[in-house]
Amino acid sequence: AGALQYNAGKFAESSRLFALATKANPLSSAAWTNLGVSLLRQNDELGAIAAWKRAADLKPDDFLVRDQLAGLYTRRKSYDD
């Protein structure tokens, strides 16, 4: 449901649904990753970072999440995080 809303450009609704998914399954790295992507589309960089950090903690070998985090840190010039 979150992905459908995201693809329709309804980022606030997709974030709400992805947040519900993280509550229903807090160990789902995919739910946290998707929440981060959706939050970033709403310019919530800190929210995206928090979601992607959680996803990276859950799935440390996920290169894509780490790449998204690195790109956002670089853009924010946050090199110590």
Side-chain angles (χ1 to χ4, degrees):
L4 290 173
Q5 296 302 313
Y6 181 88
N7 290 335
K10 298 178 180 178
F11 304 120
E13 181 63 10
S14 68
S15 292
R16 186 185 74 77
L17 292 170
F18 288 134
L20 286 174
T22 65
K23 288 182 183 4
N25 188 358
L27 300 179
S28 170
S29 64
W32 287 103
T33 299
N34 290 334
L35 177 58
V37 171
S38 189
L39 289 170
L40 186 60
R41 289 300 300 249
Q42 296 175 84
N43 297 313
D44 182 355
E45 292 181 346
L46 295 178
I49 287 171
W52 288 340
K53 278 184 167 180
R54 182 67 178 131
D57 287 344
L58 291 169
K59 194 172 179 186
D61 61 342
D62 188 336
F63 171 77
L64 293 176
V65 170
R66 294 198 176 276
D67 187 55
Q68 288 172 314
L69 268 171
L72 190 48
Y73 284 145
T74 300
R75 188 166 92 194
R76 293 177 53 82
K77 295 183 169 80
S78 299
Y79 303 115
D80 295 328
D81 293 334

Short mmCIF file of all heavy atoms in Angstrom, two decimals, residues 7-42:
data_model
loop_
_atom_site.label_atom_id
_atom_site.label_comp_id
_atom_site.label_asym_id
_atom_site.label_seq_id
_atom_site.Cartn_x
_atom_site.Cartn_y
_atom_site.Cartn_z
N ASN A 7 4.34 5.72 -5.46
CA ASN A 7 4.36 5.80 -6.92
C ASN A 7 3.35 6.80 -7.47
O ASN A 7 3.53 7.32 -8.57
CB ASN A 7 4.14 4.42 -7.53
CG ASN A 7 5.32 3.50 -7.31
OD1 ASN A 7 6.44 3.96 -7.12
ND2 ASN A 7 5.07 2.20 -7.27
N ALA A 8 2.31 7.08 -6.70
CA ALA A 8 1.30 8.07 -7.10
C ALA A 8 1.73 9.48 -6.67
O ALA A 8 1.00 10.44 -6.93
CB ALA A 8 -0.04 7.71 -6.48
N GLY A 9 2.90 9.59 -6.05
CA GLY A 9 3.38 10.90 -5.62
C GLY A 9 2.79 11.39 -4.32
O GLY A 9 2.94 12.55 -3.96
N LYS A 10 2.13 10.51 -3.60
CA LYS A 10 1.51 10.86 -2.31
C LYS A 10 2.46 10.48 -1.18
O LYS A 10 2.28 9.48 -0.49
CB LYS A 10 0.16 10.16 -2.18
CG LYS A 10 -0.82 10.58 -3.26
CD LYS A 10 -2.12 9.84 -3.16
CE LYS A 10 -3.07 10.29 -4.26
NZ LYS A 10 -4.32 9.56 -4.22
N PHE A 11 3.49 11.30 -1.02
CA PHE A 11 4.59 10.94 -0.13
C PHE A 11 4.23 10.98 1.34
O PHE A 11 4.71 10.17 2.13
CB PHE A 11 5.81 11.80 -0.43
CG PHE A 11 6.23 11.72 -1.87
CD1 PHE A 11 6.25 12.84 -2.66
CD2 PHE A 11 6.54 10.50 -2.45
CE1 PHE A 11 6.61 12.77 -4.00
CE2 PHE A 11 6.89 10.40 -3.79
CZ PHE A 11 6.93 11.55 -4.56
N ALA A 12 3.37 11.91 1.75
CA ALA A 12 2.95 11.95 3.16
C ALA A 12 2.19 10.68 3.52
O ALA A 12 2.41 10.08 4.57
CB ALA A 12 2.11 13.19 3.43
N GLU A 13 1.30 10.27 2.62
CA GLU A 13 0.53 9.05 2.87
C GLU A 13 1.43 7.82 2.82
O GLU A 13 1.29 6.90 3.62
CB GLU A 13 -0.63 8.93 1.87
CG GLU A 13 -1.49 7.71 2.07
CD GLU A 13 -2.23 7.65 3.41
OE1 GLU A 13 -2.24 8.64 4.16
OE2 GLU A 13 -2.79 6.58 3.70
N SER A 14 2.36 7.78 1.88
CA SER A 14 3.26 6.62 1.81
C SER A 14 4.12 6.56 3.07
O SER A 14 4.35 5.48 3.61
CB SER A 14 4.12 6.64 0.55
OG SER A 14 5.05 7.70 0.56
N SER A 15 4.57 7.71 3.57
CA SER A 15 5.35 7.71 4.82
C SER A 15 4.52 7.18 5.97
O SER A 15 5.02 6.42 6.81
CB SER A 15 5.84 9.12 5.14
OG SER A 15 6.78 9.55 4.19
N ARG A 16 3.28 7.59 6.04
CA ARG A 16 2.40 7.11 7.10
C ARG A 16 2.25 5.59 7.04
O ARG A 16 2.36 4.90 8.05
CB ARG A 16 1.02 7.78 7.00
CG ARG A 16 0.09 7.44 8.16
CD ARG A 16 -1.30 8.02 7.95
NE ARG A 16 -2.06 7.30 6.95
CZ ARG A 16 -2.66 6.13 7.14
NH1 ARG A 16 -2.57 5.52 8.30
NH2 ARG A 16 -3.34 5.56 6.17
N LEU A 17 2.06 5.08 5.84
CA LEU A 17 1.88 3.64 5.67
C LEU A 17 3.19 2.87 5.93
O LEU A 17 3.16 1.80 6.55
CB LEU A 17 1.33 3.34 4.28
CG LEU A 17 -0.10 3.83 4.05
CD1 LEU A 17 -0.48 3.72 2.58
CD2 LEU A 17 -1.08 3.08 4.93
N PHE A 18 4.31 3.42 5.48
CA PHE A 18 5.58 2.75 5.77
C PHE A 18 5.88 2.78 7.27
O PHE A 18 6.42 1.83 7.81
CB PHE A 18 6.72 3.37 4.97
CG PHE A 18 6.68 3.05 3.50
CD1 PHE A 18 6.87 4.04 2.56
CD2 PHE A 18 6.48 1.75 3.05
CE1 PHE A 18 6.85 3.75 1.20
CE2 PHE A 18 6.44 1.45 1.69
CZ PHE A 18 6.64 2.45 0.76
N ALA A 19 5.53 3.88 7.94
CA ALA A 19 5.71 3.94 9.39
C ALA A 19 4.86 2.88 10.08
O ALA A 19 5.33 2.23 11.03
CB ALA A 19 5.37 5.33 9.91
N LEU A 20 3.64 2.69 9.61
CA LEU A 20 2.80 1.61 10.15
C LEU A 20 3.45 0.25 9.92
O LEU A 20 3.40 -0.62 10.79
CB LEU A 20 1.41 1.65 9.52
CG LEU A 20 0.48 2.76 9.98
CD1 LEU A 20 -0.81 2.75 9.15
CD2 LEU A 20 0.17 2.64 11.46
N ALA A 21 4.06 0.09 8.76
CA ALA A 21 4.74 -1.19 8.45
C ALA A 21 5.90 -1.43 9.40
O ALA A 21 6.14 -2.57 9.81
CB ALA A 21 5.21 -1.20 7.00
N THR A 22 6.62 -0.36 9.77
CA THR A 22 7.74 -0.54 10.70
C THR A 22 7.24 -0.88 12.10
O THR A 22 7.92 -1.57 12.85
CB THR A 22 8.65 0.71 10.78
OG1 THR A 22 7.92 1.81 11.33
CG2 THR A 22 9.23 1.06 9.43
N LYS A 23 6.05 -0.41 12.44
CA LYS A 23 5.47 -0.75 13.74
C LYS A 23 4.98 -2.20 13.74
O LYS A 23 5.12 -2.92 14.72
CB LYS A 23 4.34 0.20 14.10
CG LYS A 23 4.84 1.59 14.47
CD LYS A 23 3.72 2.49 14.87
CE LYS A 23 4.09 3.91 15.19
NZ LYS A 23 5.41 4.37 15.03
N ALA A 24 4.38 -2.62 12.62
CA ALA A 24 3.88 -3.99 12.51
C ALA A 24 5.01 -5.00 12.44
O ALA A 24 4.89 -6.12 12.95
CB ALA A 24 2.99 -4.12 11.28
N ASN A 25 6.12 -4.60 11.80
CA ASN A 25 7.27 -5.50 11.65
C ASN A 25 8.55 -4.69 11.84
O ASN A 25 9.20 -4.31 10.86
CB ASN A 25 7.24 -6.18 10.29
CG ASN A 25 8.30 -7.26 10.18
OD1 ASN A 25 9.09 -7.47 11.09
ND2 ASN A 25 8.33 -7.93 9.04
N PRO A 26 8.91 -4.40 13.08
CA PRO A 26 10.06 -3.53 13.34
C PRO A 26 11.40 -4.11 12.89
O PRO A 26 12.39 -3.39 12.83
CB PRO A 26 10.03 -3.32 14.85
CG PRO A 26 9.14 -4.36 15.40
CD PRO A 26 8.23 -4.80 14.30
N LEU A 27 11.43 -5.38 12.54
CA LEU A 27 12.66 -6.01 12.07
C LEU A 27 12.77 -6.06 10.56
O LEU A 27 13.69 -6.67 10.01
CB LEU A 27 12.79 -7.42 12.66
CG LEU A 27 12.84 -7.47 14.19
CD1 LEU A 27 12.95 -8.92 14.67
CD2 LEU A 27 13.98 -6.63 14.74
N SER A 28 11.85 -5.40 9.87
CA SER A 28 11.86 -5.37 8.41
C SER A 28 12.76 -4.24 7.91
O SER A 28 12.38 -3.06 7.97
CB SER A 28 10.45 -5.19 7.86
OG SER A 28 10.49 -4.93 6.47
N SER A 29 13.91 -4.59 7.40
CA SER A 29 14.79 -3.56 6.86
C SER A 29 14.17 -2.89 5.64
O SER A 29 14.36 -1.69 5.41
CB SER A 29 16.17 -4.14 6.52
OG SER A 29 16.07 -5.08 5.48
N ALA A 30 13.38 -3.63 4.88
CA ALA A 30 12.73 -3.06 3.70
C ALA A 30 11.74 -1.96 4.10
O ALA A 30 11.68 -0.90 3.45
CB ALA A 30 12.01 -4.14 2.91
N ALA A 31 10.99 -2.18 5.17
CA ALA A 31 10.03 -1.17 5.62
C ALA A 31 10.77 0.10 6.05
O ALA A 31 10.35 1.21 5.71
CB ALA A 31 9.18 -1.71 6.76
N TRP A 32 11.87 -0.06 6.77
CA TRP A 32 12.65 1.10 7.22
C TRP A 32 13.29 1.82 6.03
O TRP A 32 13.33 3.04 5.98
CB TRP A 32 13.71 0.67 8.23
CG TRP A 32 13.13 0.32 9.55
CD1 TRP A 32 12.93 -0.93 10.06
CD2 TRP A 32 12.64 1.23 10.54
NE1 TRP A 32 12.34 -0.85 11.31
CE2 TRP A 32 12.17 0.47 11.63
CE3 TRP A 32 12.55 2.62 10.61
CZ2 TRP A 32 11.62 1.05 12.77
CZ3 TRP A 32 12.02 3.20 11.75
CH2 TRP A 32 11.56 2.41 12.81
N THR A 33 13.78 1.04 5.06
CA THR A 33 14.37 1.64 3.87
C THR A 33 13.34 2.45 3.10
O THR A 33 13.58 3.60 2.71
CB THR A 33 14.96 0.55 2.96
OG1 THR A 33 15.98 -0.14 3.68
CG2 THR A 33 15.54 1.12 1.68
N ASN A 34 12.17 1.87 2.88
CA ASN A 34 11.12 2.56 2.15
C ASN A 34 10.65 3.80 2.90
O ASN A 34 10.37 4.83 2.27
CB ASN A 34 9.94 1.62 1.89
CG ASN A 34 10.29 0.55 0.88
OD1 ASN A 34 11.16 0.73 0.05
ND2 ASN A 34 9.60 -0.58 0.96
N LEU A 35 10.57 3.71 4.22
CA LEU A 35 10.20 4.88 5.00
C LEU A 35 11.21 6.00 4.78
O LEU A 35 10.84 7.16 4.57
CB LEU A 35 10.10 4.53 6.49
CG LEU A 35 9.79 5.69 7.42
CD1 LEU A 35 8.47 6.37 7.06
CD2 LEU A 35 9.79 5.21 8.87
N GLY A 36 12.49 5.66 4.79
CA GLY A 36 13.53 6.66 4.56
C GLY A 36 13.42 7.33 3.20
O GLY A 36 13.53 8.55 3.09
N VAL A 37 13.17 6.55 2.18
CA VAL A 37 13.02 7.09 0.83
C VAL A 37 11.83 8.05 0.77
O VAL A 37 11.92 9.15 0.23
CB VAL A 37 12.86 5.96 -0.21
CG1 VAL A 37 12.49 6.50 -1.58
CG2 VAL A 37 14.14 5.13 -0.29
N SER A 38 10.73 7.63 1.36
CA SER A 38 9.52 8.45 1.34
C SER A 38 9.71 9.73 2.15
O SER A 38 9.27 10.81 1.72
CB SER A 38 8.35 7.63 1.89
OG SER A 38 7.15 8.30 1.70
N LEU A 39 10.38 9.65 3.28
CA LEU A 39 10.64 10.84 4.08
C LEU A 39 11.55 11.82 3.35
O LEU A 39 11.33 13.03 3.39
CB LEU A 39 11.25 10.46 5.43
CG LEU A 39 10.31 9.76 6.40
CD1 LEU A 39 11.08 9.22 7.60
CD2 LEU A 39 9.19 10.69 6.84
N LEU A 40 12.53 11.28 2.65
CA LEU A 40 13.44 12.15 1.92
C LEU A 40 12.70 12.91 0.82
O LEU A 40 12.98 14.09 0.57
CB LEU A 40 14.61 11.36 1.34
CG LEU A 40 15.69 12.22 0.69
CD1 LEU A 40 16.31 13.19 1.70
CD2 LEU A 40 16.77 11.33 0.10
N ARG A 41 11.73 12.27 0.20
CA ARG A 41 10.94 12.94 -0.85
C ARG A 41 10.14 14.11 -0.28
O ARG A 41 9.71 14.99 -1.02
CB ARG A 41 9.99 11.96 -1.54
CG ARG A 41 10.67 10.95 -2.45
CD ARG A 41 11.44 11.63 -3.57
NE ARG A 41 10.60 12.43 -4.42
CZ ARG A 41 10.30 12.16 -5.67
NH1 ARG A 41 10.80 11.09 -6.24
NH2 ARG A 41 9.53 12.96 -6.36
N GLN A 42 9.97 14.12 1.05
CA GLN A 42 9.29 15.23 1.72
C GLN A 42 10.29 16.19 2.36
O GLN A 42 9.92 17.02 3.17
CB GLN A 42 8.36 14.69 2.80
CG GLN A 42 7.25 13.83 2.25
CD GLN A 42 6.46 13.24 3.38
OE1 GLN A 42 5.57 13.88 3.92
NE2 GLN A 42 6.81 12.02 3.76
#
